[in-house]
Amino acid sequence: MAIDASELRHGRVRGRYFRENFAQAGIDLTQIIPELVTNADAAIAAAGRERGRIHLRIGPADREFQQAWKASLRKLRLPALRSWRYELVCSDDGEGVDADAVDQRLGALGVVPESEGQRGLFGRGLRDVWLAQGGGRIQGVRGECAVESWFLPAAGDEPYVYTHVLDASVTPAIRHELGIPREGTRVTVPLADGRLPPNARLRRLVSDLVQLRPILEDETRELLLELPEEPLQLIRYGPPEPDPERPLLLDEEVELQRGVTARILVRRAAQPIPLNPARAARRGGLVVLSGRAAHETTLAGFEARPGARHLYGEVRCEAIEQLQREALETPRPQVVVRVDRSGLNDAHPLVRRLYAQLERILRPIVDAEERRAGARLVRAGRETAARDAVGLRALNDALRTAFDAPGRAGFARRGRPTEQPPLEEREEREEREIVPPPSAPRSSAVVDAAIRFKQSPVRLHPGEQRTVSLLFDPMRVPAGTPIDVATDPGLSLSLWRNAVPPPVSGGWSRVSGKVRALVSAEPGSQLSAFAEAGGHDAELVVVVVRHHGSGWVREIARKDEDSHVEAEFEPETGIVTVYEGRREFKALERAARQAGLARSRVREYVPYRMLEVEVAANALYWWAAERILERRLPGERPADPAEFAAVVRMEAQMLRHRFHDKLMKAFLGPEVFDGTVVVAQQPTTASEQLRLG
């Protein structure tokens, strides 16, 4: 495909826009993806369709397009990107474009969308993306016309040029080549970066992007994500599960200035929401909305407070869009939304008033949450606390073992059937040869993965580092394959080898390294490190904690409060909270008092203590089961909620079967299992009652 230099069209640019806003977007995926998807959403809305479909492909470059692009650049000598490994392609079934529409929308840099409420529609953000990445193309069908236009940086004083490489009446062959069956648009963005994050990280990024929240929550839109070597997936945003007792904490409309109001809704989640260092993908906090646009999520400076970990909701202020449009038309604008569209401009007077109102509203809510978390706590006696310490050591050993990859059954082998006896028989023979320590039983699970970290998730304090091991199946990842590593902000991962080594005697390859949580990592964050080799990837989940005890669980807290759950676990603090205000605990408390035990010694009553241990352990089993399933199917879960619940229940029961007998002995003491505890039919003195010790 040859391009005549005389056919190049120079783009126009407003001087103010060039000075203040040039190429501010499109640097990384958190900026590129929202521009493409919101443009597609605006095109569907402009077509007046009741429903719409957006197809986002992230993968290898189109070789035919790349070759034609290179051939043209050799003649034109423009400073555009010449080669790339990966690209983003976003297609929609919206109103489409023709040559006139391309000239109107791409001909001048700094033009805002035609209609209010539109987030994109091939406006300034898409051109910023192309300029930052070094070029791109747009293909479309509108009516009976088809167009393909290339967008390239210019060599002279003009910022960019574009040309129509196709401008003709649409035919079935053109529709098939463009992949547009009726009307619609397809936008291609070559990626200057030569690496892609692992698929699990890309899925999570797309599903959690704040700017895509209105689209992902809209039942009239379908966002289909295509990743390398994976089928199409429908992406939806799964909001936090609301607290069944207090789902809505506040619904208030506040006045920011004359004629400008904002409606604030604060909701409470049933479980703490993990912190995310990336503002663009934060799940907690209040999403600031105007029209169809989501600008940011914020808690007005309370993000790191423990009382804010359950809070989410939204702030709707329709005046933001109007003020932004007015600012863009003034000689010296003061925009409400940052020029790179990463959030609100906190120097704008309206934004300052909004943050002040949010701080006023959220401060008493956060304080009340923290008081409620510490209220009605019951202090255990000295003997019970001493026995807790023994039980917690066993519980932490059990969790470390559960999160550790199986040793002798490292991977599921593929190919011809094995001649070895069944797994159970092999393990029985191995146990006779090598007796493992009682606190660390081996798992019989077989892992069907080409790469995996030996233990995940792991817990780290800010500034702490620990050794990790990465295992490879040599049948699918041969020795010598390069290893690529990527981490979330706040983590660093360094491996001692940059290629897969030969397999060891156990049948798999192993590389060790160090993972470190930076001192800037916020306690409560759930961060990830990714390793990729040979087209396969593995994820290491790191939970940044604030407590300084050893192991996942630091303390069993007892709260004299009724609750719909028996117990809950917060990995950030390492505390298992048992709600002993429930009816079953109160019934056993009355029985202990009738048996003659003092109120301070109620928790030594054996039935009461057994119930404490049961509910605390079950909370840990369920939490660990969910983490194990997340690791086994990274970024995936069964579509049917009942099926997912059944899978979690089965995994929790398997953990209970492996560890519960040892936990009971550790928490209750060996004397309970030695027959020294008896039931007296008519107790007369407290010394004859069932109690610990």
Side-chain angles (χ1 to χ4, degrees):
M1 183 182 300
I3 296 179
D4 189 349
S6 62
E7 297 178 353
L8 293 177
R9 307 178 185 214
H10 290 272
R12 306 182 310 277
V13 61
R14 299 181 181 185
R16 184 269 312 158
Y17 182 85
F18 185 82
R19 181 180 69 251
E20 299 183 5
N21 219 21
F22 178 67
Q24 291 291 323
I27 305 302
D28 55 31
L29 293 177
T30 61
Q31 294 175 303
I32 299 173
I33 294 175
E35 296 296 347
L36 297 184
V37 176
T38 54
N39 273 327
D41 176 65
I44 295 170
R49 300 186 188 278
E50 184 177 348
R51 307 186 66 85
R53 172 173 292 187
I54 303 170
H55 179 187
L56 180 64
R57 183 179 74 85
I58 308 175
D62 183 338
R63 295 302 178 190
E64 294 184 4
F65 171 45
Q66 196 174 49
Q67 291 173 1
W69 181 274
K70 287 182 179 179
S72 300
L73 287 183
R74 281 195 293 267
K75 297 180 180 180
L76 298 176
R77 297 183 178 180
L78 295 176
L81 183 67
R82 294 185 176 273
S83 64
W84 60 92
R85 293 180 59 189
Y86 302 104
E87 63 188 18
L88 271 70
V89 181
C90 186
S91 307
D92 64 74
D93 56 359
E95 66 172 358
V97 292
D98 53 20
D100 292 338
V102 172
D103 290 337
Q104 178 184 358
R105 295 174 183 169
L106 300 186
L109 192 62
V111 178
V112 297
E114 296 102 337
S115 303
E116 293 186 5
Q118 293 178 333
R119 173 64 178 83
L121 200 54
F122 318 112
R124 41 203 284 260
L126 179 58
R127 284 163 293 195
D128 283 346
V129 167
W130 279 334
L131 284 171
Q133 297 299 317
R137 71 172 173 176
I138 182 171
Q139 302 163 293
V141 174
R142 188 173 190 175
E144 298 300 322
C145 299
V147 68
E148 178 176 343
S149 303
W150 290 7
F151 184 100
L152 309 98
D157 295 334
E158 300 293 340
Y160 66 93
V161 295
Y162 69 97
T163 183
H164 304 311
V165 298
L166 172 66
D167 181 8
S169 298
V170 67
T171 63
I174 291 178
R175 289 185 182 277
H176 182 267
E177 181 181 355
L178 300 183
I180 302 175
R182 292 183 295 275
E183 289 188 335
T185 309
R186 184 167 71 172
V187 178
T188 302
V189 178
L191 296 179
D193 193 349
R195 295 170 53 186
L196 270 184
N199 288 356
R201 186 175 187 178
L202 289 173
R203 275 194 303 270
R204 186 185 307 163
L205 174 67
V206 175
S207 63
D208 288 348
L209 278 173
V210 174
Q211 293 181 348
L212 300 188
R213 202 72 56 83
I215 301 172
L216 298 178
E217 293 179 335
D218 189 348
E219 295 295 333
T220 66
R221 296 288 188 269
E222 290 184 354
L223 176 58
L224 301 176
L225 178 62
E226 181 181 353
L227 298 175
E229 301 181 359
E230 289 189 4
L232 280 176
Q233 303 174 59
L234 177 64
I235 302 297
R236 290 288 184 195
Y237 175 71
E241 180 183 356
D243 189 326
E245 295 181 352
R246 299 183 298 145
L248 182 64
L249 300 181
L250 181 134
D251 183 354
E252 181 178 335
E253 187 166 345
V254 298
E255 184 176 6
L256 304 180
Q257 61 187 40
R258 181 176 298 179
V260 177
T261 61
R263 186 182 180 189
I264 303 173
L265 286 86
V266 182
R267 296 185 172 91
R268 188 180 194 277
Q271 300 296 328
I273 304 172
L275 295 176
N276 193 326
R279 290 169 54 94
R282 189 173 292 166
R283 291 178 58 85
L286 309 182
V287 181
V288 182
L289 302 162
S290 64
R292 187 69 169 174
H295 303 293
E296 69 175 18
T297 177
T298 180
L299 282 173
F302 294 105
E303 283 83 0
R305 289 275 297 272
R309 293 295 309 284
H310 291 261
L311 303 184
Y312 71 106
E314 65 181 49
V315 178
R316 181 164 290 279
C317 180
E318 304 297 349
I320 292 178
E321 180 182 349
Q322 178 184 352
L323 293 174
Q324 182 78 0
R325 287 175 172 272
E326 294 175 357
L328 293 174
E329 300 297 330
T330 59
R332 298 184 62 82
Q334 188 176 19
V335 294
V336 187
V337 182
R338 294 176 184 171
V339 293
D340 61 356
R341 290 166 289 283
S342 62
L344 300 180
N345 175 20
D346 52 12
H348 193 279
L350 178 69
V351 178
R352 289 183 176 180
R353 296 189 188 99
L354 175 61
Y355 286 163
Q357 290 286 356
L358 290 178
E359 183 178 359
R360 176 187 65 82
I361 288 173
L362 290 175
R363 184 179 297 279
I365 295 177
V366 172
D367 291 342
E369 285 287 305
E370 293 178 351
R371 286 195 301 270
R372 185 175 184 273
R376 306 181 69 86
L377 287 176
V378 179
R379 184 176 180 181
R382 182 181 302 175
E383 187 174 353
T384 302
R387 181 54 62 185
D388 279 352
V390 177
L392 289 176
R393 285 196 292 270
L395 191 54
N396 283 315
D397 288 341
L399 288 178
R400 279 191 288 266
T401 304
F403 294 147
D404 203 354
R408 298 182 179 273
F411 295 93
R413 295 296 180 191
R414 297 181 179 181
R416 59 189 181 87
T418 179
E419 298 178 358
Q420 299 294 329
L423 179 64
E424 292 79 5
E425 296 180 13
R426 294 203 309 273
E427 287 197 344
E428 290 178 1
R429 186 174 65 253
E430 292 165 357
E431 288 179 358
R432 289 194 297 268
E433 298 172 357
I434 303 175
V435 179
S439 61
R442 288 194 303 271
S443 168
S444 61
V446 179
V447 181
D448 187 12
I451 308 175
R452 74 177 296 143
F453 284 92
K454 193 173 190 300
Q455 188 178 89
S456 179
V458 297
R459 53 182 289 281
L460 291 176
H461 304 100
E464 182 185 3
Q465 72 175 15
R466 63 169 292 171
T467 302
V468 294
S469 296
L470 186 60
L471 306 180
F472 303 85
D473 182 355
M475 300 293 291
R476 286 176 277 179
V477 187
T481 304
I483 306 172
D484 291 326
V485 171
T487 63
D488 284 338
L491 278 186
S492 67
L493 174 63
S494 59
L495 299 178
W496 297 339
R497 292 173 178 261
N498 56 10
V500 179
V504 296
S505 58
W508 60 84
S509 304
R510 173 172 176 167
V511 174
S512 298
K514 293 283 188 181
V515 61
R516 181 174 182 270
L518 305 184
V519 293
S520 58
E522 286 285 350
S525 302
Q526 181 171 303
L527 308 178
S528 295
F530 299 90
E532 189 273 336
H536 304 278
D537 57 77
E539 179 182 9
L540 172 66
V541 177
V542 176
V543 179
V544 182
V545 297
R546 67 173 72 249
H547 65 274
H548 296 281
S550 61
W552 283 99
V553 192
R554 178 177 66 93
E555 177 186 351
I556 295 180
R558 298 159 176 86
K559 184 172 288 190
D560 189 11
E561 179 180 312
D562 196 5
S563 174
H564 65 285
V565 296
E566 298 174 324
E568 58 184 359
F569 174 58
E570 292 191 13
E572 174 189 352
T573 59
I575 297 177
V576 183
T577 303
V578 179
Y579 293 97
E580 298 187 353
R582 290 167 59 95
R583 289 189 294 271
E584 60 269 32
F585 281 99
K586 290 300 182 182
L588 290 175
E589 180 180 351
R590 289 192 296 269
R593 295 300 304 278
Q594 291 173 3
L597 290 177
R599 184 180 296 275
S600 60
R601 301 185 62 187
V602 164
R603 283 152 194 85
E604 299 177 17
Y605 187 57
V606 170
Y608 194 101
R609 175 64 169 174
M610 291 182 67
L611 183 59
E612 272 188 344
V613 175
E614 286 286 333
V615 299
N618 286 337
L620 268 296
Y621 294 147
W622 281 90
W623 175 80
E626 291 177 351
R627 303 293 81 76
I628 291 172
L629 291 176
E630 289 175 358
R631 177 189 181 192
R632 189 172 300 162
L633 300 172
E636 302 176 8
R637 61 182 295 174
D640 183 7
E643 179 184 356
F644 179 72
V647 173
V648 174
R649 176 182 177 275
M650 180 58 66
E651 189 68 35
Q653 290 295 317
M654 292 174 64
L655 292 174
R656 182 183 176 91
H657 180 263
R658 291 172 57 194
F659 303 116
H660 200 63
D661 60 330
K662 296 179 177 62
L663 294 184
M664 293 293 287
K665 291 180 180 178
F667 275 103
L668 299 179
E671 61 274 9
V672 176
F673 298 88
D674 291 341
T676 59
V677 175
V678 296
V679 177
Q681 296 296 328
Q682 293 183 347
T684 57
T685 63
S687 61
E688 298 177 3
Q689 306 313 309
L690 303 180
R691 58 187 178 89
L692 298 180

